[in-house]
């Protein structure tokens, strides 16, 4: 069975209703919306990978956000608001994605001709979907049959022992078609 691409997972999580909403926002059909979503997701994941590889504060923040997304939710508070652990880690990654939104919107706008403000609105709709896909992909890495700690950074430290590359590969998978 072939592994689905990250964009396919995002489109699947997005669903027909939200895809139609994006198409309406863009003034296009669902095929045009799919293309724009795929372009935007590719730019977002590329930006995440680039920032994660940087040896600066932004890089450390992205690596920490990925490490938190990959950790299972806190056990004792899982009934609070759908899982406080997932909410907290999602908040950090949401912040990272929000920081990427302006440069990604500008890049996608330049490539597609869609106004950057419109692309920014699409990105706002995509952030919760991206968070859900990140969490599902991270959880899949902990599924039965996966080696213990598969994709997790060694010792829990982001980037330690090559763990970041495994973690990014696990969560983003084949980020581009």
């Amino acid at each position: 069975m072939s592994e689905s691409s990250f964009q396919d997972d995002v489109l699947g999580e997005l669903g027909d209703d939200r895809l139609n909403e994006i198409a309406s926002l863009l003034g296009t059909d669902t095929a045009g919306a799919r293309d724009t979503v795929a372009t935007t997701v590719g730019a977002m994941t590329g930006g995440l990978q680039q920032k994660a590889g940087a040896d600066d504060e932004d890089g450390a923040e992205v690596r920490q956000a990925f490490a938190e997304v990959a950790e299972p939710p806190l056990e004792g508070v899982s009934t609070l608001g759908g899982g406080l652990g997932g909410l907290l880690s999602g908040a950090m990654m949401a912040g990272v994605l929000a920081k990427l939104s302006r440069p990604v919107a500008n890049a996608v706008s330049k490539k597609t001709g869609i106004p950057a403000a419109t692309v920014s609105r699409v990105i706002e709709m995509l952030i919760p979907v991206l968070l859900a896909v990140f969490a599902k992909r991270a959880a899949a890495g902990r599924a039965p049959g996966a080696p213990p700690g598969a994709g997790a950074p060694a010792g829990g430290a982001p980037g330690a022992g090559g763990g970041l590359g495994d973690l990014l590969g696990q969560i983003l998978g084949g980020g581009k078609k």
Side-chain angles (χ1 to χ4, degrees):
M1 182 163 102
S2 66
E3 182 179 329
S4 66
S5 76
F6 189 78
Q7 282 104 346
D8 290 343
D9 288 354
V10 170
L11 288 167
E13 186 72 25
L14 195 59
D16 291 340
D17 289 344
R18 285 188 273 184
L19 191 61
N20 286 329
E21 190 176 339
I22 290 172
S24 175
L25 176 68
L26 295 171
T28 188
D29 59 7
T30 55
R34 282 180 190 279
D35 289 344
T36 302
V37 167
T39 300
T40 304
V41 168
M44 294 288 286
T45 57
L48 284 171
Q49 289 173 324
Q50 182 179 17
K51 284 198 176 281
D55 193 22
D56 58 13
E57 254 183 61
D58 287 341
E61 182 181 24
V62 172
R63 291 187 297 272
Q64 181 63 35
F66 271 111
E68 288 184 6
V69 166
E71 288 180 15
L74 299 172
E75 293 294 324
V77 292
S78 62
T79 58
L80 297 176
L84 186 58
L87 178 65
L88 293 176
S89 64
M92 183 170 204
M93 182 57 81
V96 167
L97 293 172
K99 286 181 184 178
L100 279 175
S101 64
R102 176 171 275 159
V104 166
N106 290 334
V108 171
S109 174
K110 189 174 184 177
K111 183 175 182 177
T112 64
I114 299 168
T118 303
V119 177
S120 290
R121 291 183 61 200
V122 170
I123 291 171
E124 288 173 13
M125 295 173 72
L126 288 176
I127 287 176
V129 175
L130 290 169
L131 293 173
V133 173
F134 288 152
K136 285 180 180 180
R137 282 185 165 234
R142 293 187 303 268
L164 177 63
D166 292 345
L167 181 63
L168 288 172
Q170 171 187 332
I171 294 174
L172 296 176
K176 297 181 182 178
K177 273 185 149 178

